[in-house]
Amino acid sequence: MKTVIAEKPSVAREIAVLLGALEKKEGYLTGNGYFVTWAFGHLVELAMPEDYGISLFEKKSLPILPDPFLLTPRREKKGSTYSADAGALKQLKIIGQLIAKSKKIIAATDAGREGELIFRYIYQYLNCSIPFERLWISSLTQKAIKQGFENLKPGIDFDCIYQAAQARSRADWLIGINASQALSIAAGGGNYSLGRVQTPTLALICKRYLENKEFSVQKYWQLQLLHTKEFIDFKSLSKNKWVDKKSAEHALKCIERNGNTAIVTSIEIKKRTEKPPLLFDLTGLQKEANKKLNFSAAETLSIAQGLYEKKFITYPRTASKYIPEDMWEEISGILRAMQKTGKWNQALIGVKWGHLNKSIVNDLRITDHHGLLITEKMPFALSSKENALYNMIALRIIEAVSQECIKEITTVSLQTLHYEFDLKGSKIIETGWRLVKGSFSDDETEAMQVLPELKEGTEFKIKNTISLEKTTLPPTLYIEAGLLSAMETATKQAEDQQECKALQNTGIGTPSTRAAVIETLFARNYIERQKKYLVPTQKGLQVYELVKDKKISDVSMTAEWEAALLKIENSKADAGDFQKEMENYAVSITDELLQTSLERINLPDLLCPKCNKEQLIITSKIVKCPNEICSWFQFRNVCGVQLSISDIESLVSTGKTPLIKAMQSKAGKKFEAYITLNNKAESSFEFEKFKLKNK
């Protein structure tokens, strides 16, 4: 018998159909000489400190450097404690029993770093020594699965990918466990978390937020001229920017009195060739879906994974935008399948079938998987969100194989009196790939306009003159699309240009993990959404202030670690050396954090109102006295309203907060009240006394 281990039950069922293993059993399918079973994602994970007999959140226990690292079945949280996941234990037992009856194992988990880790941790935990083969596919169509089984690879061929995955797993454990525990101890309690990728990501958000908040907005004025020539209306904008409104108005009046004509002083016409976009990789899809559909990165990945498991698209967790040469013939098949539906006729109208653009073909730029494609299996019964994302992927394929868009860009300089003005115009020569969606500019604010025929020396009247009040713009707060771009191109943040060049095309995290990192920051209450923007919470800013000058928040350093993992994957670096570097850094960051007192950063020194002896500890959830005998505390969230630091300061110092509005009772009614402390430092509400007005 042969045992096939897939990553999920849905994938196992697709494989079982091809292999003829159609008899359903508990935890697996069987038939035709095969057992086809599955994991549920990570069934096995690295053991936690308590598994090594180490007490949590004890200063003397840090740093924790396991040797060797132990594996344990996946755990689930019950209340405040973790215990073994009963479902994971049961499935591991089933897999172990099947392996014991088999002479051959086939790893069929997702073909990538994490999929390799899922299988190898199960293999290692079960103490299996049977040689295994690897199924490596990018699509779940029967054709792709059949080809994959006809070309099974020896498991040893993927050892380097496993070593990189294991190194990443251990690095995240070493830094995450030690830094998080050290920070929590330094904070005097509370749930704090630091990580190899999440902390520099938090730093990106906090830095941008502070730059935006501290930006000094400056007003300035520009003049706009309105023109008409040959029945065409167009506009020009002054080169000069006035910081004084009166000066701008003076210039406007001068032009109106004496310069009711403008003359062309220079004209430049250039052709611009815009190459079609490449295929989506996962990060590109997440960015586009966030901008156009307002999907979060995690939501996009979840929907794409569902489409993959329904066999409508290829493997979504890809870092490549290209396909190999031997896949090129499949593109025509995909386009023909789209054509047959009739749904894509308008988008396909400009496709030159005999001269498809092959810019997406590049064998040297393929990573674990090729760029994202739809399959020849056309979808049915999709939800609105699935349909929107599927359409986005499908249209990108048509764009990618279409011809270049060629534009004629005209740049004109005008003069009236001694004032100079600029204008730009655009004319489409060949629509090419831009015909697919009918969008002819990436920037909706780009000031491109249709112009009449103009030549140097042409003179024409000014129809109207307008003074425009403008302001300098602060750095824009991140939306998820912008944050994903920043994570993807993290090394551009580096000040050292040589370092930046050395780490070119290396970001922080991987396409398949970036969404989870962002969700972790939400779960830790480090960031929140304000409309579509990502902003740090007070807790997030507090942590950022502590770590902003430390290596753990440095995007360049984290990108360097990612580059090292990639080298391990490509047999160009040693996993043991990388682990040693992570251990050394875990020791360093733990020592730094333990010497810091988090609760004092940017927070007032407040004496406990009950014992009048201890300085209060202020966290995002609670204000408390560190003296266990006193044990005074005050929750920060009261009836749905988060008390600010100034509210807490007023309560402790004066015994009364300002009026707290928009609180909500258990019955759902809104109310407002003061929070007060009595002589025993017990809190209660005090409601405003309304005075009757004299009639």
Side-chain angles (χ1 to χ4, degrees):
M1 294 293 286
K2 301 174 184 177
T3 293
V4 180
I5 303 176
E7 191 162 320
K8 292 182 178 179
S10 59
V11 178
R13 286 193 290 271
E14 296 294 339
I15 292 172
V17 169
L18 178 81
L19 297 178
L22 304 178
E23 187 181 351
K24 293 181 181 179
K25 299 286 186 178
E26 188 172 11
Y28 67 101
L29 297 111
T30 186
N32 203 27
Y34 286 95
F35 297 128
V36 182
T37 187
W38 52 82
F40 300 105
H42 286 272
L43 281 183
V44 177
E45 56 192 23
L46 293 177
M48 298 302 287
E50 54 266 36
D51 296 310
Y52 298 92
I54 299 171
S55 299
L56 294 176
F57 303 105
E58 286 191 356
K59 191 173 181 179
K60 65 181 181 180
S61 299
L62 300 179
I64 306 168
L65 307 174
D67 184 20
F69 276 90
L70 302 178
L71 295 176
T72 184
R74 184 175 67 206
R75 300 168 189 244
E76 58 182 348
K77 191 172 184 179
K78 292 182 178 178
S80 59
T81 61
Y82 287 86
S83 58
D85 183 326
L89 287 172
K90 183 178 180 180
Q91 191 63 15
L92 280 170
K93 184 178 179 181
I94 290 170
I95 294 172
Q97 291 170 343
L98 297 178
I99 286 175
K101 300 174 184 177
S102 301
K103 293 183 178 180
K104 187 175 182 180
I105 300 171
I106 298 170
T109 46
D110 286 354
R113 197 186 282 176
E114 286 309 296
E116 194 68 24
L117 189 69
I118 287 170
F119 169 75
R120 297 286 187 120
Y121 273 1
I122 293 172
Y123 186 85
Q124 186 179 338
Y125 177 77
L126 295 174
N127 293 316
C128 187
S129 58
I130 303 170
F132 65 91
E133 291 183 303
R134 191 63 164 95
L135 175 71
W136 195 268
I137 55 176
S138 292
S139 170
L140 286 177
T141 61
Q142 290 296 295
K143 179 182 176 182
I145 296 171
K146 184 174 183 295
Q147 289 176 342
F149 271 94
E150 289 170 353
N151 294 279
L152 292 172
K153 308 290 185 184
I156 197 171
D157 289 358
F158 300 87
D159 282 355
C160 288
I161 292 178
Y162 166 57
Q163 288 163 11
Q166 184 187 56
R168 191 280 308 156
S169 176
R170 291 180 174 183
D172 286 344
W173 194 102
L174 287 165
I175 295 172
I177 293 291
N178 286 294
S180 298
Q181 290 206 30
L183 180 61
S184 297
I185 291 169
N191 184 17
Y192 289 91
S193 170
L194 296 177
R196 185 181 60 89
V197 179
Q198 67 163 287
T199 303
T201 304
L202 173 64
L204 286 170
I205 297 169
C206 290
K207 184 179 179 183
R208 177 62 63 84
Y209 171 79
L210 293 173
E211 288 172 346
N212 176 279
K213 187 178 179 182
E214 296 165 3
F215 184 82
S216 179
V217 174
Q218 303 293 328
K219 286 185 179 181
Y220 67 94
W221 286 261
Q222 283 183 283
L223 300 184
Q224 184 182 77
L225 305 182
L226 306 181
H227 315 280
T228 299
K229 188 176 186 296
E230 298 171 3
F231 304 104
I232 297 174
D233 293 329
F234 55 102
K235 303 172 184 177
S236 61
L237 193 64
S238 64
K239 289 185 179 180
N240 195 31
K241 296 178 181 179
W242 289 270
V243 295
D244 176 54
K245 184 178 181 180
K246 289 183 178 179
S247 299
E249 290 176 344
H250 173 73
L252 183 146
K253 289 175 181 177
C254 287
I255 292 171
E256 288 178 338
R257 284 198 303 264
N258 308 306
N260 51 1
T261 61
I263 187 169
V264 177
T265 56
S266 70
I267 186 165
E268 182 181 40
I269 301 175
K270 285 185 176 180
K271 279 189 178 181
R272 179 196 291 174
T273 299
E274 296 179 338
K275 294 182 178 180
L278 297 169
L279 299 172
F280 281 125
D281 61 2
L282 176 58
T283 302
L285 181 67
Q286 288 170 320
K287 290 192 293 185
E288 189 80 355
N290 182 244
K291 287 187 287 188
K292 301 291 175 63
L293 305 174
N294 202 31
F295 291 174
S296 70
E299 186 176 19
T300 297
L301 177 55
S302 175
I303 295 169
Q305 184 69 23
L307 290 171
Y308 167 66
E309 290 175 15
K310 292 176 181 177
K311 301 185 284 186
F312 295 142
I313 67 171
T314 58
Y315 188 62
R317 289 178 167 86
T318 176
S320 178
K321 300 177 181 181
Y322 298 88
I323 61 170
E325 180 70 44
D326 60 12
M327 279 192 68
W328 176 243
E329 290 184 7
E330 294 185 25
I331 298 298
S332 293
I334 291 170
L335 295 176
R336 296 294 181 193
M338 294 172 73
Q339 190 180 43
K340 287 179 182 178
T341 67
K343 176 182 177 181
W344 310 101
N345 287 351
Q346 187 61 40
L348 289 163
I349 197 168
V351 171
K352 296 182 179 179
W353 291 93
H355 301 85
L356 295 179
N357 192 322
K358 289 187 69 174
S359 58
I360 59 173
V361 176
N362 191 329
D363 287 308
L364 300 177
R365 300 294 294 274
I366 306 298
T367 54
D368 292 344
H369 298 278
H370 54 71
L372 197 49
L373 299 170
I374 64 170
T375 66
E376 292 184 34
K377 181 181 178 181
M378 293 294 104
F380 55 88
L382 294 182
S383 69
S384 59
K385 289 186 175 182
E386 286 177 321
N387 190 58
L389 197 68
Y390 178 87
N391 289 348
M392 189 172 278
I393 298 166
L395 288 172
R396 174 55 66 89
I397 297 169
I398 302 174
E399 287 179 324
V401 299
S402 296
Q403 302 305 305
E404 297 168 335
C405 173
I406 301 175
K407 295 179 179 179
E408 187 177 82
I409 307 297
T410 303
T411 305
V412 182
S413 292
L414 306 177
Q415 187 170 332
T416 178
L417 296 181
H418 59 280
Y419 301 107
E420 293 183 329
F421 289 77
D422 285 333
L423 66 146
K424 272 192 174 184
S426 174
K427 184 166 68 173
I428 301 292
I429 306 300
E430 291 184 24
T431 53
W433 65 273
R434 286 199 175 276
L435 183 63
V436 175
K437 293 180 184 175
S439 175
F440 299 102
S441 174
D442 293 322
D443 184 359
E444 294 177 1
T445 63
E446 190 178 19
M448 293 296 186
Q449 53 193 332
V450 176
L451 299 178
E453 185 176 345
L454 297 173
K455 295 180 180 178
E456 194 170 320
T458 300
E459 191 171 337
F460 46 85
K461 288 186 177 182
I462 298 170
K463 187 178 179 181
N464 198 5
T465 309
I466 301 171
S467 177
L468 302 175
E469 181 181 306
K470 298 186 175 184
T471 57
T472 53
L473 298 175
T476 307
L477 294 172
Y478 281 123
I479 61 173
E480 282 203 34
L483 181 60
L484 287 167
S485 290
M487 294 173 75
E488 187 179 30
T489 58
T491 49
K492 290 185 179 179
Q493 308 284 333
E495 294 180 5
D496 187 327
Q497 291 302 307
Q498 286 188 332
E499 181 184 70
C500 185
K501 187 176 181 180
L503 298 176
Q504 193 173 14
N505 300 321
T506 302
I508 56 176
T510 62
S512 60
T513 60
R514 287 173 189 142
V517 169
I518 295 171
E519 292 304 310
T520 296
L521 294 177
F522 280 115
R524 296 297 185 193
N525 193 31
Y526 284 171
I527 65 173
E528 62 187 6
R529 282 191 179 89
Q530 289 184 2
K531 296 182 178 178
K532 63 179 180 178
Y533 297 107
L534 305 179
V535 298
T537 61
Q538 182 189 336
K539 182 180 180 182
L541 284 170
Q542 195 179 354
V543 172
Y544 171 67
E545 287 299 323
L546 175 69
V547 301
K548 66 182 181 181
D549 297 321
K550 294 178 170 56
K551 190 188 295 184
I552 196 169
S553 69
D554 188 335
V555 293
S556 296
M557 183 58 63
T558 309
E560 187 176 298
W561 290 340
E562 293 290 349
L565 290 170
L566 193 59
K567 286 181 180 179
I568 294 168
E569 189 171 312
N570 293 318
S571 306
K572 295 178 180 178
D574 182 70
D577 292 341
F578 179 75
Q579 181 175 322
K580 190 64 181 175
E581 183 182 350
M582 293 299 100
E583 288 175 348
N584 291 338
Y585 182 64
V587 172
S588 172
I589 189 63
T590 299
D591 184 57
E592 283 184 272
L593 291 169
L594 287 175
Q595 295 179 43
T596 307
S597 182
L598 177 65
E599 68 271 16
R600 294 287 161 254
I601 295 176
N602 292 333
L603 295 174
D605 290 330
L606 298 176
L607 202 62
C608 174
K610 184 178 179 182
C611 69
N612 292 309
K613 294 178 181 178
E614 301 287 348
Q615 294 287 340
L616 292 174
I617 294 172
I618 304 173
T619 72
S620 62
K621 294 183 179 180
I622 197 170
V623 182
K624 67 177 183 178
C625 179
N627 188 321
E628 292 183 5
I629 297 174
C630 172
S631 70
W632 182 87
F633 71 91
Q634 170 65 49
F635 287 114
R636 290 283 299 276
N637 191 293
V638 180
C639 296
V641 174
Q642 181 81 355
L643 298 183
S644 68
I645 293 299
S646 60
D647 292 334
I648 295 297
E649 199 167 4
S650 178
L651 178 65
V652 172
S653 302
T654 69
K656 185 176 182 179
T657 67
L659 185 66
I660 307 297
K661 299 182 178 182
M663 289 189 286
Q664 187 169 312
S665 69
K666 290 181 179 180
K669 293 183 178 180
K670 296 283 186 180
F671 71 96
E672 54 188 45
Y674 300 96
I675 299 173
T676 62
L677 295 179
N678 62 19
N679 56 8
K680 294 182 180 179
E682 297 167 335
S683 63
S684 61
F685 291 124
E686 180 184 303
F687 298 94
E688 273 197 307
K689 296 175 182 178
F690 295 95
K691 296 180 180 179
L692 292 173
K693 293 182 179 180
N694 293 327
K695 293 184 179 179

